[in-house]
């Protein structure tokens, strides 16, 4: 049995906020599987379903982000799911809007929801799909993750949510390495006019090598 967890905050107040990208992906997965995540237990909402021949639990913790691990642990214990059979989906500041990153194990990277899951699952050895929400240096991070996506970001957001949902389903059907190979791709740089090339140095320091590093780090399971 597998457990797919999407992290977010419950309630209308937080719907559509950047921190709820994990919930958005869970809704997309449930729609593709034609099920509803509406059963109440484990301090959250869940549904038991199948992906291919695999029994799968879809879980949306409702403990608020910082205590997500309590919901995950309760579900793990009830269904006797091992840490290695968990897939956690959440928002990522270091990934641009419109992109996703898949990674096997690693630290929380400053994400309090993931930090809680690591603590309650008693280890970092679980798969993750990170959904890009970007950054805004003019807004404090705590405030920024609770903002809603701008209208001009919605097309890219919808694309990344769709990709993350497809990646999660593929990971269950064919394994996480297969999903990583298909969906861990380098983000495309925006096209610029010839006279604007000098300005792109600020947008892509080190000629985009920082983006390459983010892809390569997902291949290193020792991080």
């Amino acid at each position: 049995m597998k457990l797919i967890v999407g992290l977010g905050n419950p309630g209308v107040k937080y719907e559509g906020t950047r921190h709820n990208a994990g919930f958005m992906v869970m809704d997309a997965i449930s729609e593709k599987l034609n099920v509803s995540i509406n059963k109440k237990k484990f301090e959250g909402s869940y549904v038991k379903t199948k992906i291919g021949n695999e029994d799968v639990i879809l879980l949306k913790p409702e403990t608020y982000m910082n205590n997500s691990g309590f919901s995950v642990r309760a579900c793990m214990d009830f269904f006797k799911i091992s840490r290695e059979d968990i897939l956690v989906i959440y928002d990522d500041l270091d990934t641009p809007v419109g992109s996703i990153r898949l990674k096997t194990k690693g630290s929380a990277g400053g994400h309090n929801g993931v930090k809680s899951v690591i603590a309650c699952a008693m280890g970092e050895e679980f798969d993750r799909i990170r959904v890009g929400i970007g950054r805004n240096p003019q807004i404090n991070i705590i405030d920024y993750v609770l903002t809603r996506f701008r209208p001009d970001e919605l097309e890219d957001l919808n694309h990344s949510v769709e990709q993350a949902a497809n990646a999660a389903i593929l990971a269950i059907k064919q394994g996480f390495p297969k999903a990583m190979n298909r969906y861990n791709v380098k983000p495309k740089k925006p096209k610029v006019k010839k006279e604007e090339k000098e300005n792109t140095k600020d947008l892509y320091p080190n000629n985009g090598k920082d983006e390459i590093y983010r892809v390569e780090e997902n291949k290193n399971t020792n991080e």
Side-chain angles (χ1 to χ4, degrees):
M1 181 177 285
K2 305 290 186 180
L3 171 59
I4 303 178
V5 184
L7 302 186
N9 288 308
V12 177
K13 177 181 178 181
Y14 298 102
E15 286 181 3
T17 60
R18 295 172 192 272
H19 225 14
N20 273 32
F23 276 11
M24 296 177 197
V25 176
M26 295 303 291
D27 291 340
I29 293 172
S30 65
E31 184 175 345
K32 289 176 181 292
L33 299 178
N34 196 29
V35 296
S36 297
I37 307 174
N38 56 11
K39 294 183 179 180
K40 298 294 183 181
K41 199 169 184 176
F42 317 120
E43 298 185 78
S45 296
Y46 84 101
V47 66
K48 182 178 179 182
T49 186
K50 275 188 175 291
I51 297 179
N53 296 321
E54 186 75 55
D55 289 326
V56 179
I57 303 298
L58 306 180
L59 175 67
K60 295 167 69 175
E62 296 175 355
T63 54
Y64 290 97
M65 184 64 80
N66 293 1
N67 292 319
S68 299
F70 293 109
S71 176
V72 174
R73 181 78 254 178
C75 188
M76 288 174 64
D77 290 345
F78 185 86
F79 290 107
K80 296 179 173 56
I81 299 172
S82 66
R83 185 173 60 242
E84 292 76 12
D85 289 323
I86 299 174
L87 170 58
V88 181
I89 306 172
Y90 59 97
D91 58 291
D92 183 38
L93 287 161
D94 293 322
T95 301
V97 176
S99 297
I100 64 173
R101 295 286 181 274
L102 282 68
K103 184 177 181 181
T104 59
K105 70 180 182 180
S107 68
H111 194 292
N112 288 332
V114 179
K115 188 182 298 182
S116 177
V117 173
I118 290 173
C120 293
M122 295 183 290
E124 300 177 348
E125 297 81 9
F126 55 85
D127 298 330
R128 305 105 186 274
I129 297 178
R130 301 180 293 180
V131 182
I133 63 171
R135 287 180 180 267
N136 186 332
Q138 298 179 336
I139 304 178
N140 178 280
I141 289 177
I142 295 175
D143 296 328
Y144 176 71
V145 296
L146 298 181
T147 63
R148 287 176 169 78
F149 292 89
R150 302 188 310 269
D152 63 291
E153 294 178 312
L154 294 181
E155 182 177 350
D156 286 338
L157 169 65
N158 292 335
H159 171 73
S160 63
V161 168
E162 177 78 4
Q163 291 290 88
N166 289 337
I169 292 172
L170 180 63
I172 300 300
K173 288 183 175 179
Q174 299 185 31
F176 200 72
K178 181 78 171 182
M180 289 179 70
N181 288 337
R182 179 173 297 184
Y183 291 99
N184 266 352
V185 296
K186 182 181 176 182
K188 294 181 179 179
K189 297 179 183 180
K191 294 181 180 180
V192 293
K193 296 178 181 179
K194 186 175 181 180
E195 61 269 19
E196 293 177 340
K197 284 186 177 179
E198 287 301 315
N199 294 332
T200 63
K201 292 181 180 179
D202 293 332
L203 295 173
Y204 298 97
N206 300 322
N207 195 28
K209 291 180 180 177
D210 55 332
E211 294 296 344
I212 296 174
Y213 172 76
R214 292 195 190 106
V215 175
E216 291 299 321
E217 71 170 355
N218 293 325
K219 298 179 183 178
N220 185 353
T221 58
N222 294 320
E223 290 187 359

